[in-house]
Amino acid sequence: MTKDKDFKKLVRTRMLATGENYTTARSTLLAEHATPDQTAEAGNGPTADPQIEQFRTKTLRTFMPDGRITAIPTKRRALVVILIEVLKALDADKVYEEKELNGILGDFHPDFALLRRELIDYRLLERNSHTGQYWVNPTPPVHTGSQAQEMAGLEVFLR
């Protein structure tokens, strides 16, 4: 928690205006008010909070030690870390047929259908249900409710 009363007021004002929870409103305000030095690390774009980076590293070491998913995390926040990592294997400019996507996801874990559904539920992946085509969502989605809490701070790891 921050000790800066003015910043807390800004966060609470944003919460009232947008309906976001404290964590999401705080993260958004920090991102909006960050200086270029704070948001870029050697030209690699936004940087993550050290605690979030530590959580991500621990999660990947636990569930993807060799690049394959050893077990699907039951905690939603850990699952989001895994989904973002899986998403990196997909070409952002390509439209995938379902069979091709299943093959890529199957390289990570045998339950490729679960991975596909979760990627779609978090709107990281889009689909056309009539044609069976899938593609990476070109704009990072704005999540609400519990998904906003699960994604908070992890957005920096999206492409």
Side-chain angles (χ1 to χ4, degrees), residues 10-98:
L10 287 173
V11 172
R12 290 195 174 100
T13 302
R14 181 175 176 88
M15 288 170 62
L16 287 173
T18 63
E20 296 172 333
N21 63 32
Y22 186 89
T23 306
T24 304
R26 180 179 179 273
S27 297
T28 303
L29 285 172
L30 286 173
E32 289 174 357
H33 293 94
T35 64
D37 289 343
Q38 291 170 321
T39 59
E41 181 179 89
N44 291 333
T47 58
D49 178 290
Q51 287 180 326
I52 292 172
E53 180 62 44
Q54 183 180 18
F55 173 75
R56 178 180 173 272
T57 303
K58 181 181 176 190
T59 301
L60 291 176
R61 191 176 7 170
T62 303
F63 294 101
M64 291 183 77
D66 61 354
R68 287 186 42 86
I69 302 169
T70 56
I72 302 287
T74 55
K75 298 206 182 226
R76 302 300 294 177
R77 191 152 169 81
L79 178 61
V80 169
V81 170
I82 298 302
L83 293 175
I84 290 171
E85 208 56 31
V86 167
L87 189 68
K88 292 178 181 180
L90 301 175
D91 184 0
D93 299 324
K94 184 174 179 180
V95 176
Y96 294 91
E97 296 298 323
E98 186 168 351

Side-chain angles (χ1 to χ4, degrees), residues 140-159:
V142 176
H143 293 94
T144 58
S146 61
Q147 282 190 353
Q149 291 177 339
E150 294 156 7
M151 291 290 295
L154 296 171
E155 300 90 352
V156 298
F157 299 106
L158 293 171
R159 298 185 200 268

Side-chain angles (χ1 to χ4, degrees), residues 93-110:
D93 299 324
K94 184 174 179 180
V95 176
Y96 294 91
E97 296 298 323
E98 186 168 351
K99 190 173 184 175
E100 181 182 12
L101 179 65
N102 290 346
I104 294 168
L105 298 177
D107 289 341
F108 286 98
H109 192 271

